[in-house]
Coordinates of all heavy atoms in Angstrom, one line a residue:
M1 N 117.4 115.5 105.6 CA 117.7 114.2 105.0 C 118.5 114.5 103.7 O 118.1 115.3 102.9 CB 116.4 113.5 104.6 CG 116.6 112.1 104.2 SD 115.0 111.2 104.1 CE 114.9 110.6 105.8
T2 N 119.6 113.8 103.5 CA 120.5 114.1 102.4 C 120.2 113.2 101.2 O 120.6 113.5 100.1 CB 122.0 114.0 102.8 OG1 122.2 112.7 103.3 CG2 122.3 115.0 103.9
Q3 N 119.5 112.1 101.5 CA 119.2 111.2 100.4 C 118.1 111.8 99.5 O 117.3 112.6 100.0 CB 118.7 109.8 100.9 CG 119.8 109.0 101.6 CD 119.2 107.7 102.1 OE1 118.1 107.7 102.7 NE2 119.8 106.6 101.8
K4 N 118.0 111.3 98.3 CA 116.9 111.8 97.4 C 115.8 110.8 97.5 O 116.0 109.5 97.5 CB 117.4 111.8 96.0 CG 116.4 112.2 95.0 CD 116.9 112.3 93.6 CE 115.8 112.7 92.6 NZ 116.3 112.5 91.2
P5 N 114.5 111.2 97.6 CA 113.4 110.3 97.8 C 113.2 109.5 96.5 O 113.3 110.1 95.4 CB 112.2 111.2 98.1 CG 112.6 112.5 97.5 CD 114.1 112.6 97.6
E6 N 113.0 108.3 96.6 CA 112.7 107.4 95.4 C 111.2 107.2 95.3 O 110.5 106.8 96.2 CB 113.4 106.0 95.6 CG 114.9 106.1 95.6 CD 115.5 106.6 94.3 OE1 114.9 106.2 93.2 OE2 116.5 107.3 94.4
P7 N 110.6 107.6 94.1 CA 109.2 107.4 94.0 C 108.8 106.0 94.1 O 109.5 105.0 93.8 CB 108.9 107.9 92.5 CG 110.1 108.7 92.2 CD 111.3 108.2 93.0
V8 N 107.6 105.7 94.7 CA 107.0 104.4 94.8 C 105.6 104.5 94.3 O 104.9 105.5 94.4 CB 107.0 103.9 96.3 CG1 108.4 103.7 96.8 CG2 106.3 104.8 97.2
T9 N 105.1 103.3 93.8 CA 103.8 103.2 93.3 C 102.8 103.0 94.5 O 103.3 102.6 95.6 CB 103.6 102.1 92.3 OG1 103.8 100.9 93.0 CG2 104.5 102.3 91.1
R10 N 101.6 103.1 94.2 CA 100.6 102.8 95.3 C 100.8 101.4 95.8 O 100.8 101.1 97.0 CB 99.2 103.0 94.7 CG 98.0 102.7 95.6 CD 96.7 102.8 94.9 NE 95.6 102.8 95.8 CZ 95.1 101.7 96.4 NH1 95.6 100.5 96.1 NH2 94.1 101.8 97.2
A11 N 100.9 100.4 94.8 CA 101.0 99.0 95.2 C 102.3 98.8 96.0 O 102.3 98.0 97.0 CB 101.0 98.2 93.9
E12 N 103.4 99.4 95.6 CA 104.7 99.3 96.3 C 104.5 99.8 97.7 O 105.0 99.2 98.7 CB 105.8 100.0 95.6 CG 106.2 99.3 94.3 CD 107.2 100.2 93.4 OE1 107.1 101.4 93.5 OE2 107.9 99.6 92.7
A13 N 103.9 101.0 97.9 CA 103.7 101.6 99.2 C 102.9 100.7 100.1 O 103.3 100.5 101.2 CB 103.0 103.0 99.0
L14 N 101.8 100.1 99.6 CA 101.0 99.3 100.4 C 101.7 98.0 100.7 O 101.5 97.4 101.8 CB 99.7 99.0 99.7 CG 98.7 100.2 99.6 CD1 97.5 99.9 98.7 CD2 98.3 100.7 100.9
A15 N 102.5 97.4 99.8 CA 103.2 96.2 100.1 C 104.3 96.4 101.1 O 104.7 95.4 101.8 CB 103.8 95.7 98.8
Q16 N 104.8 97.6 101.3 CA 106.0 97.9 102.2 C 105.5 98.5 103.5 O 106.4 98.7 104.4 CB 107.0 98.8 101.5 CG 107.6 98.2 100.2 CD 108.5 99.2 99.5 OE1 109.2 99.9 100.1 NE2 108.3 99.2 98.2
T17 N 104.3 98.8 103.7 CA 103.8 99.4 105.0 C 102.9 98.4 105.7 O 102.3 97.5 105.1 CB 103.1 100.7 104.7 OG1 102.0 100.5 103.8 CG2 104.0 101.8 104.2
P18 N 102.8 98.6 107.0 CA 101.9 97.7 107.8 C 100.5 97.8 107.4 O 100.1 98.8 106.7 CB 102.1 98.2 109.3 CG 103.5 98.9 109.2 CD 103.6 99.5 107.9
D19 N 99.7 96.9 107.8 CA 98.3 96.8 107.4 C 97.5 98.0 107.8 O 96.4 98.3 107.2 CB 97.6 95.5 108.0 CG 98.1 94.3 107.4 OD1 98.7 94.3 106.3 OD2 97.9 93.2 108.0
A20 N 97.9 98.8 108.8 CA 97.1 99.9 109.2 C 97.1 101.0 108.2 O 96.2 101.9 108.2 CB 97.8 100.5 110.5
W21 N 98.0 101.0 107.2 CA 98.1 102.0 106.2 C 97.4 101.7 104.9 O 97.4 100.6 104.4 CB 99.6 102.2 105.9 CG 100.3 102.8 107.1 CD1 100.9 102.1 108.1 CD2 100.5 104.2 107.4 NE1 101.4 102.9 109.0 CE2 101.2 104.2 108.6 CE3 100.2 105.3 106.8 CZ2 101.5 105.4 109.2 CZ3 100.5 106.5 107.4 CH2 101.2 106.6 108.6
T22 N 96.7 102.8 104.4 CA 96.0 102.7 103.1 C 96.5 103.9 102.3 O 97.2 104.7 102.8 CB 94.5 102.8 103.3 OG1 94.2 104.0 103.9 CG2 94.0 101.7 104.1
V23 N 96.1 103.9 101.0 CA 96.4 105.0 100.2 C 95.1 105.7 99.9 O 94.1 105.1 99.4 CB 97.1 104.6 98.9 CG1 97.3 105.8 98.0 CG2 98.5 104.0 99.2
D24 N 95.0 107.0 100.1 CA 93.8 107.8 99.9 C 94.3 109.1 99.3 O 95.1 109.8 99.8 CB 93.1 108.0 101.2 CG 91.8 108.9 101.0 OD1 91.1 108.7 100.0 OD2 91.5 109.7 101.9
D25 N 93.7 109.4 98.1 CA 94.0 110.7 97.5 C 95.6 110.9 97.3 O 96.1 112.0 97.5 CB 93.4 111.9 98.2 CG 93.3 113.1 97.4 OD1 93.3 113.0 96.1 OD2 93.3 114.2 98.0
G26 N 96.2 109.8 97.0 CA 97.7 109.8 96.7 C 98.6 109.9 97.9 O 99.8 110.2 97.8
M27 N 98.0 109.8 99.1 CA 98.7 109.8 100.4 C 98.6 108.5 101.1 O 97.6 107.9 101.1 CB 98.2 111.0 101.3 CG 98.4 112.3 100.7 SD 97.8 113.5 101.9 CE 97.9 115.0 101.0
L28 N 99.7 108.2 101.8 CA 99.6 107.1 102.8 C 98.8 107.6 104.0 O 99.2 108.7 104.5 CB 101.0 106.6 103.2 CG 101.6 105.6 102.3 CD1 103.1 105.4 102.7 CD2 100.9 104.2 102.4
V29 N 97.9 106.8 104.5 CA 97.0 107.3 105.6 C 96.8 106.2 106.6 O 96.6 105.0 106.2 CB 95.6 107.7 105.1 CG1 94.7 108.1 106.2 CG2 95.7 108.8 104.0
A30 N 96.9 106.5 107.9 CA 96.6 105.5 108.9 C 96.0 106.3 110.1 O 96.3 107.5 110.4 CB 97.9 104.8 109.4
E31 N 95.2 105.6 110.9 CA 94.6 106.1 112.1 C 94.8 105.1 113.2 O 94.7 103.9 113.0 CB 93.1 106.3 111.8 CG 92.4 107.0 112.9 CD 90.9 107.4 112.6 OE1 90.7 108.2 111.7 OE2 90.0 106.7 113.2
Y32 N 95.1 105.7 114.4 CA 95.4 104.9 115.6 C 94.4 105.3 116.7 O 94.0 106.5 116.7 CB 96.8 105.0 116.0 CG 97.8 104.4 115.0 CD1 98.2 105.2 113.9 CD2 98.2 103.1 115.1 CE1 99.1 104.7 113.0 CE2 99.1 102.6 114.1 CZ 99.5 103.4 113.1 OH 100.4 102.8 112.2
R33 N 94.1 104.4 117.6 CA 93.2 104.7 118.7 C 94.0 104.6 120.0 O 94.1 103.5 120.6 CB 92.0 103.7 118.7 CG 91.2 103.7 117.5 CD 90.0 104.5 117.7 NE 89.3 104.6 116.4 CZ 88.3 105.4 116.2 NH1 87.9 106.2 117.2 NH2 87.7 105.4 115.1
P34 N 94.5 105.7 120.5 CA 95.3 105.7 121.7 C 94.5 105.5 123.0 O 95.1 105.2 124.1 CB 96.0 107.0 121.7 CG 95.1 107.9 121.0 CD 94.5 107.0 119.9
G35 N 93.2 105.7 123.0 CA 92.4 105.5 124.2 C 92.1 106.8 124.9 O 91.0 106.9 125.6
N36 N 93.0 107.7 124.9 CA 92.7 109.0 125.5 C 93.7 110.1 124.9 O 94.6 109.7 124.2 CB 92.8 109.0 127.0 CG 94.2 108.6 127.5 OD1 95.2 109.2 127.2 ND2 94.3 107.6 128.3
M37 N 93.4 111.3 125.1 CA 94.1 112.4 124.5 C 95.6 112.4 125.0 O 96.5 112.8 124.2 CB 93.5 113.8 124.8 CG 92.1 114.0 124.1 SD 92.3 114.1 122.3 CE 92.9 115.8 122.2
V38 N 95.8 112.1 126.3 CA 97.2 112.1 126.8 C 98.1 111.1 126.0 O 99.1 111.5 125.6 CB 97.2 111.9 128.3 CG1 98.6 111.7 128.8 CG2 96.5 113.0 129.1
R39 N 97.6 109.9 125.9 CA 98.3 108.9 125.1 C 98.5 109.3 123.7 O 99.5 109.0 123.0 CB 97.7 107.5 125.3 CG 97.9 106.9 126.7 CD 97.4 105.5 126.8 NE 98.3 104.7 126.0 CZ 98.0 103.6 125.4 NH1 96.7 103.2 125.3 NH2 98.9 102.8 124.8
G40 N 97.4 109.9 123.1 CA 97.5 110.4 121.7 C 98.6 111.4 121.6 O 99.4 111.4 120.6
L41 N 98.7 112.4 122.5 CA 99.7 113.4 122.4 C 101.1 112.8 122.6 O 102.0 113.2 122.0 CB 99.4 114.5 123.5 CG 100.4 115.7 123.5 CD1 100.4 116.3 122.1 CD2 100.0 116.7 124.6
E42 N 101.2 111.8 123.5 CA 102.5 111.1 123.7 C 102.9 110.5 122.4 O 104.1 110.6 122.0 CB 102.4 110.1 124.8 CG 102.3 110.7 126.2 CD 102.0 109.7 127.3 OE1 101.7 108.5 126.9 OE2 102.0 110.1 128.4
M43 N 102.0 109.9 121.7 CA 102.3 109.2 120.4 C 102.8 110.3 119.4 O 103.8 110.2 118.7 CB 101.1 108.4 119.9 CG 101.5 107.8 118.5 SD 100.1 106.8 117.9 CE 100.8 106.2 116.4
V44 N 102.0 111.4 119.3 CA 102.3 112.5 118.4 C 103.7 113.0 118.7 O 104.5 113.3 117.8 CB 101.2 113.6 118.4 CG1 101.7 114.8 117.6 CG2 99.9 113.0 117.8
T45 N 104.0 113.2 120.0 CA 105.3 113.7 120.4 C 106.4 112.8 119.9 O 107.5 113.3 119.4 CB 105.4 113.9 121.9 OG1 104.4 114.9 122.2 CG2 106.7 114.5 122.3
A46 N 106.2 111.5 120.1 CA 107.2 110.5 119.6 C 107.4 110.5 118.1 O 108.5 110.5 117.6 CB 106.9 109.1 120.1
V47 N 106.3 110.7 117.4 CA 106.3 110.7 115.9 C 107.0 112.0 115.5 O 107.8 111.9 114.5 CB 104.9 110.6 115.3 CG1 104.9 110.9 113.9 CG2 104.3 109.2 115.6
V48 N 106.7 113.1 116.1 CA 107.4 114.4 115.7 C 108.9 114.2 115.9 O 109.7 114.7 115.0 CB 106.8 115.5 116.5 CG1 107.7 116.8 116.4 CG2 105.4 115.9 116.1
A49 N 109.4 113.6 117.0 CA 110.8 113.4 117.2 C 111.4 112.5 116.1 O 112.4 112.9 115.5 CB 111.1 112.8 118.5
A50 N 110.7 111.5 115.7 CA 111.2 110.6 114.6 C 111.1 111.3 113.3 O 112.1 111.2 112.5 CB 110.3 109.3 114.5
A51 N 110.1 112.2 113.1 CA 110.0 112.9 111.8 C 111.2 114.0 111.7 O 111.8 114.2 110.6 CB 108.7 113.6 111.7
E52 N 111.5 114.6 112.8 CA 112.6 115.6 112.8 C 113.9 114.9 112.5 O 114.7 115.4 111.7 CB 112.7 116.3 114.2 CG 111.6 117.3 114.4 CD 111.7 118.5 113.4 OE1 112.8 119.1 113.3 OE2 110.7 118.8 112.7
E53 N 114.1 113.7 113.1 CA 115.3 112.9 112.9 C 115.4 112.6 111.4 O 116.5 112.6 110.8 CB 115.3 111.7 113.7 CG 116.5 110.8 113.6 CD 116.5 109.6 114.5 OE1 116.3 109.8 115.8 OE2 116.6 108.5 114.0
A54 N 114.3 112.2 110.8 CA 114.3 111.8 109.4 C 114.2 112.9 108.4 O 114.5 112.8 107.2 CB 113.0 110.9 109.1
G55 N 113.9 114.1 108.9 CA 113.7 115.3 108.0 C 112.6 115.1 107.1 O 112.6 115.7 106.0
H56 N 111.5 114.4 107.5 CA 110.4 114.2 106.7 C 109.2 114.2 107.6 O 109.2 113.5 108.6 CB 110.5 112.9 106.0 CG 109.4 112.6 104.9 ND1 109.2 113.5 103.9 CD2 108.4 111.7 104.9 CE1 108.2 113.0 103.1 NE2 107.7 111.9 103.7
H57 N 108.1 115.0 107.3 CA 107.1 115.2 108.3 C 105.7 114.8 107.8 O 105.3 115.2 106.7 CB 107.1 116.7 108.7 CG 108.5 117.1 109.2 ND1 109.5 117.6 108.3 CD2 109.0 117.0 110.4 CE1 110.5 117.8 109.0 NE2 110.3 117.5 110.3
P58 N 104.9 114.2 108.7 CA 103.5 113.8 108.3 C 102.6 115.0 108.6 O 102.9 115.9 109.4 CB 103.3 112.7 109.3 CG 104.0 113.0 110.5 CD 105.3 113.7 110.0
D59 N 101.4 114.9 108.0 CA 100.3 115.7 108.5 C 99.7 114.9 109.6 O 99.5 113.7 109.5 CB 99.3 115.9 107.3 CG 99.8 116.7 106.2 OD1 100.7 117.5 106.4 OD2 99.3 116.6 105.1
V60 N 99.4 115.6 110.7 CA 98.9 114.9 111.9 C 97.5 115.5 112.3 O 97.4 116.8 112.3 CB 99.9 115.1 113.1 CG1 99.3 114.4 114.3 CG2 101.2 114.6 112.7
D61 N 96.6 114.7 112.7 CA 95.3 115.1 113.2 C 95.0 114.4 114.5 O 94.7 113.2 114.5 CB 94.2 114.8 112.1 CG 92.8 115.4 112.5 OD1 92.7 116.2 113.5 OD2 91.9 115.0 111.8
L62 N 95.1 115.1 115.6 CA 94.8 114.5 116.9 C 93.5 115.0 117.4 O 93.3 116.2 117.6 CB 95.9 115.0 117.9 CG 95.7 114.7 119.4 CD1 95.6 113.1 119.6 CD2 96.8 115.2 120.2
R63 N 92.6 114.1 117.5 CA 91.2 114.3 118.0 C 90.8 113.1 118.8 O 91.1 112.0 118.5 CB 90.2 114.5 116.8 CG 90.5 115.6 115.9 CD 89.5 115.6 114.7 NE 90.0 116.4 113.7 CZ 89.3 117.2 113.0 NH1 88.0 117.3 113.2 NH2 89.8 118.0 112.0
Y64 N 90.0 113.4 119.8 CA 89.5 112.2 120.5 C 88.5 111.5 119.7 O 87.6 112.1 119.1 CB 88.8 112.7 121.8 CG 88.3 111.5 122.6 CD1 89.2 110.8 123.4 CD2 87.0 111.1 122.6 CE1 88.8 109.7 124.2 CE2 86.6 110.0 123.3 CZ 87.5 109.3 124.0 OH 87.1 108.2 124.7
P65 N 88.6 110.2 119.5 CA 89.5 109.3 120.2 C 90.6 108.8 119.3 O 91.1 107.7 119.5 CB 88.5 108.1 120.5 CG 87.6 108.1 119.3 CD 87.5 109.5 118.9
A66 N 91.0 109.5 118.3 CA 92.0 108.9 117.3 C 93.1 109.9 117.0 O 92.9 111.1 117.1 CB 91.3 108.5 116.1
V67 N 94.2 109.4 116.5 CA 95.2 110.2 115.9 C 95.4 109.7 114.4 O 95.5 108.5 114.2 CB 96.6 110.0 116.6 CG1 97.7 110.8 115.9 CG2 96.5 110.3 118.1
A68 N 95.3 110.6 113.5 CA 95.5 110.2 112.1 C 96.8 110.8 111.5 O 97.1 111.9 111.9 CB 94.3 110.7 111.3
F69 N 97.4 110.1 110.6 CA 98.6 110.5 110.0 C 98.4 110.4 108.5 O 97.9 109.4 108.0 CB 99.8 109.6 110.4 CG 100.1 109.7 111.9 CD1 99.6 108.8 112.7 CD2 100.9 110.7 112.4 CE1 99.8 108.8 114.1 CE2 101.1 110.8 113.7 CZ 100.6 109.8 114.6
R70 N 98.9 111.4 107.7 CA 98.9 111.4 106.3 C 100.3 111.7 105.8 O 100.9 112.7 106.3 CB 97.9 112.4 105.7 CG 96.5 112.1 106.2 CD 95.5 113.2 105.7 NE 95.2 113.1 104.3 CZ 94.4 112.3 103.7 NH1 93.8 111.4 104.4 NH2 94.2 112.3 102.4
L71 N 100.8 110.9 104.8 CA 102.1 111.1 104.3 C 102.2 111.2 102.8 O 101.5 110.4 102.1 CB 103.0 109.8 104.7 CG 103.2 109.6 106.2 CD1 103.7 108.2 106.4 CD2 104.1 110.6 106.8
V72 N 102.9 112.2 102.3 CA 103.2 112.3 100.9 C 104.5 113.2 100.9 O 104.7 114.0 101.8 CB 102.1 112.9 100.1 CG1 101.8 114.4 100.5 CG2 102.3 112.7 98.6
T73 N 105.3 113.0 99.9 CA 106.5 113.8 99.8 C 106.1 115.0 98.9 O 106.0 115.0 97.7 CB 107.7 113.0 99.1 OG1 107.9 111.9 99.9 CG2 108.9 113.9 99.0
H74 N 105.8 116.1 99.6 CA 105.3 117.3 99.0 C 106.3 117.9 97.9 O 105.8 118.4 96.9 CB 105.0 118.4 100.0 CG 103.9 118.0 101.0 ND1 102.6 118.0 100.6 CD2 103.9 117.6 102.3 CE1 101.8 117.6 101.6 NE2 102.6 117.3 102.7
S75 N 107.5 117.8 98.2 CA 108.5 118.3 97.3 C 108.5 117.7 95.9 O 108.9 118.3 94.9 CB 109.9 118.3 97.8 OG 110.3 116.9 98.0
V76 N 108.0 116.5 95.8 CA 107.9 115.8 94.5 C 106.4 115.5 94.1 O 106.2 115.0 93.0 CB 108.8 114.5 94.4 CG1 110.2 114.9 94.5 CG2 108.4 113.5 95.4
G77 N 105.5 115.8 95.0 CA 104.1 115.6 94.8 C 103.6 114.2 94.6 O 102.6 113.9 93.9
Q78 N 104.3 113.2 95.3 CA 103.9 111.8 95.2 C 104.5 111.0 96.3 O 105.3 111.5 97.1 CB 104.3 111.2 93.9 CG 105.8 111.0 93.7 CD 106.1 110.4 92.4 OE1 106.3 111.2 91.4 NE2 106.2 109.1 92.3
L79 N 104.0 109.8 96.4 CA 104.6 108.9 97.4 C 106.0 108.5 97.1 O 106.3 108.3 95.9 CB 103.7 107.6 97.5 CG 102.3 107.8 98.1 CD1 101.6 106.5 98.0 CD2 102.4 108.3 99.5
T80 N 106.8 108.4 98.1 CA 108.2 108.1 97.9 C 108.7 107.1 99.1 O 107.9 106.9 100.0 CB 109.2 109.3 97.9 OG1 109.2 109.8 99.3 CG2 108.7 110.3 97.0
S81 N 109.9 106.7 98.9 CA 110.6 105.9 99.9 C 110.6 106.5 101.3 O 110.5 105.9 102.3 CB 112.0 105.5 99.5 OG 112.7 106.7 99.2
F82 N 110.6 107.9 101.4 CA 110.6 108.6 102.6 C 109.2 108.3 103.3 O 109.2 108.2 104.6 CB 110.7 110.1 102.4 CG 112.1 110.5 102.0 CD1 113.1 109.7 101.7 CD2 112.4 111.9 101.9 CE1 114.4 110.1 101.3 CE2 113.6 112.3 101.5 CZ 114.6 111.4 101.2
D83 N 108.1 108.3 102.6 CA 106.8 108.1 103.2 C 106.7 106.7 103.7 O 106.2 106.5 104.8 CB 105.7 108.4 102.1 CG 105.8 109.8 101.6 OD1 105.8 110.7 102.3 OD2 106.0 109.9 100.3
V84 N 107.2 105.7 103.0 CA 107.2 104.3 103.4 C 108.0 104.2 104.7 O 107.5 103.6 105.7 CB 107.7 103.4 102.3 CG1 107.9 102.0 102.8 CG2 106.7 103.4 101.1
A85 N 109.2 104.7 104.7 CA 110.0 104.6 105.9 C 109.4 105.2 107.1 O 109.4 104.7 108.2 CB 111.4 105.2 105.6
L86 N 108.8 106.4 107.0 CA 108.1 107.1 108.1 C 106.9 106.3 108.5 O 106.6 106.2 109.7 CB 107.8 108.5 107.8 CG 107.4 109.4 109.0 CD1 108.3 109.3 110.2 CD2 107.2 110.8 108.6
A87 N 106.1 105.8 107.6 CA 104.9 105.0 108.0 C 105.4 103.8 108.8 O 104.7 103.4 109.8 CB 104.2 104.5 106.7
Q88 N 106.4 103.1 108.4 CA 107.0 102.0 109.2 C 107.4 102.4 110.6 O 107.1 101.7 111.6 CB 108.1 101.3 108.4 CG 107.8 100.7 107.1 CD 109.0 100.3 106.3 OE1 110.1 100.8 106.5 NE2 108.7 99.4 105.3
R89 N 108.0 103.6 110.7 CA 108.4 104.1 112.0 C 107.2 104.5 112.9 O 107.2 104.2 114.1 CB 109.4 105.3 111.8 CG 109.9 105.8 113.1 CD 110.9 104.8 113.8 NE 111.3 105.3 115.1 CZ 111.0 104.7 116.2 NH1 110.2 103.6 116.3 NH2 111.4 105.3 117.3
I90 N 106.2 105.1 112.3 CA 105.0 105.5 113.0 C 104.4 104.2 113.6 O 103.9 104.2 114.7 CB 104.1 106.3 112.2 CG1 104.7 107.7 111.9 CG2 102.7 106.4 112.8 CD1 103.9 108.5 110.8
D91 N 104.3 103.2 112.7 CA 103.6 101.9 113.2 C 104.5 101.3 114.3 O 103.9 100.8 115.3 CB 103.5 100.9 112.0 CG 102.4 99.9 112.3 OD1 101.2 100.3 112.4 OD2 102.8 98.7 112.6
A92 N 105.8 101.4 114.3 CA 106.6 100.9 115.3 C 106.4 101.6 116.6 O 106.4 101.1 117.7 CB 108.1 100.9 114.9
I93 N 106.3 102.9 116.5 CA 106.0 103.8 117.7 C 104.7 103.4 118.3 O 104.6 103.2 119.6 CB 106.1 105.3 117.3 CG1 107.5 105.7 117.0 CG2 105.5 106.1 118.4 CD1 107.6 107.1 116.3
A94 N 103.7 103.2 117.5 CA 102.4 102.8 118.0 C 102.5 101.5 118.8 O 102.0 101.3 119.9 CB 101.4 102.7 116.9
A95 N 103.2 100.5 118.2 CA 103.4 99.2 118.8 C 104.1 99.3 120.1 O 103.8 98.7 121.1 CB 104.1 98.3 117.8
E96 N 105.2 100.1 120.1 CA 106.0 100.3 121.4 C 105.1 100.9 122.5 O 105.3 100.6 123.7 CB 107.1 101.3 121.1 CG 108.2 100.8 120.2 CD 109.2 101.9 119.7 OE1 109.1 103.0 120.2 OE2 110.0 101.6 118.8
K97 N 104.1 101.7 122.1 CA 103.3 102.4 123.1 C 102.0 101.6 123.4 O 101.1 102.0 124.2 CB 102.9 103.8 122.7 CG 104.2 104.7 122.6 CD 103.8 106.1 122.4 CE 105.1 107.0 122.6 NZ 105.6 106.9 124.0
G98 N 101.8 100.4 122.7 CA 100.7 99.6 122.9 C 99.4 100.2 122.3 O 98.3 100.0 122.8
I99 N 99.6 101.0 121.2 CA 98.4 101.7 120.6 C 98.1 101.0 119.3 O 98.9 100.7 118.5 CB 98.8 103.2 120.3 CG1 99.0 103.9 121.7 CG2 97.7 103.8 119.5 CD1 99.5 105.3 121.5
E100 N 96.8 100.6 119.2 CA 96.3 99.8 118.1 C 95.8 100.7 117.0 O 95.3 101.8 117.2 CB 95.1 98.9 118.5 CG 95.5 97.9 119.6 CD 96.4 96.8 119.0 OE1 96.1 96.4 117.8 OE2 97.3 96.3 119.7
P101 N 96.0 100.2 115.7 CA 95.3 100.9 114.6 C 93.8 100.9 114.8 O 93.2 100.0 115.4 CB 95.7 100.1 113.4 CG 96.8 99.2 113.8 CD 96.7 99.0 115.3
A102 N 93.2 101.9 114.2 CA 91.7 102.0 114.2 C 91.1 101.0 113.3 O 91.7 100.6 112.4 CB 91.3 103.4 113.8

């Protein structure tokens, strides 16, 4: 990613991300329930492709029955516009796949 991340406050991050997302320990966090491990892995694969395209990567935890994502811009040690954009994309991927937030 060639753009510079713009810092966002907790309130700004929450206002700009879907309801599935919260802020915990300075990170945007969401959990989705794909129903089974195969669908969970399909979601993770799609998110990884989007993350590679964006040049910004989430922490991912795939366990039955949920997939959890944590976002923070490690290079600046806080939430940024990159995290908000990726959270929005992750939520769109979940919706495209018919996967509901936990």
Side-chain angles (χ1 to χ4, degrees):
M1 191 171 270
T2 58
Q3 293 178 312
K4 182 179 177 189
E6 296 295 324
V8 296
T9 66
R10 179 184 192 280
E12 289 169 333
L14 291 173
Q16 296 174 42
T17 54
D19 290 342
W21 293 86
T22 61
V23 175
D24 180 37
D25 197 24
M27 296 183 187
L28 275 170
V29 178
E31 187 173 290
Y32 294 86
R33 300 260 176 193
N36 62 55
M37 290 293 282
V38 172
R39 288 188 72 215
L41 183 57
E42 289 171 355
M43 180 180 182
V44 168
T45 300
V47 168
V48 167
E52 284 296 310
E53 183 178 302
H56 188 62
H57 303 92
D59 293 337
V60 180
D61 186 10
L62 171 61
R63 299 175 194 223
Y64 183 81
V67 180
F69 299 94
R70 299 177 73 79
L71 299 167
V72 68
T73 304
H74 296 286
S75 62
V76 295
Q78 69 182 88
L79 292 174
T80 71
S81 54
F82 289 5
D83 304 305
V84 170
L86 189 54
Q88 292 167 344
R89 183 66 186 114
I90 290 169
D91 201 70
I93 289 167
E96 290 165 10
K97 297 189 169 298
I99 297 173
E100 297 290 323

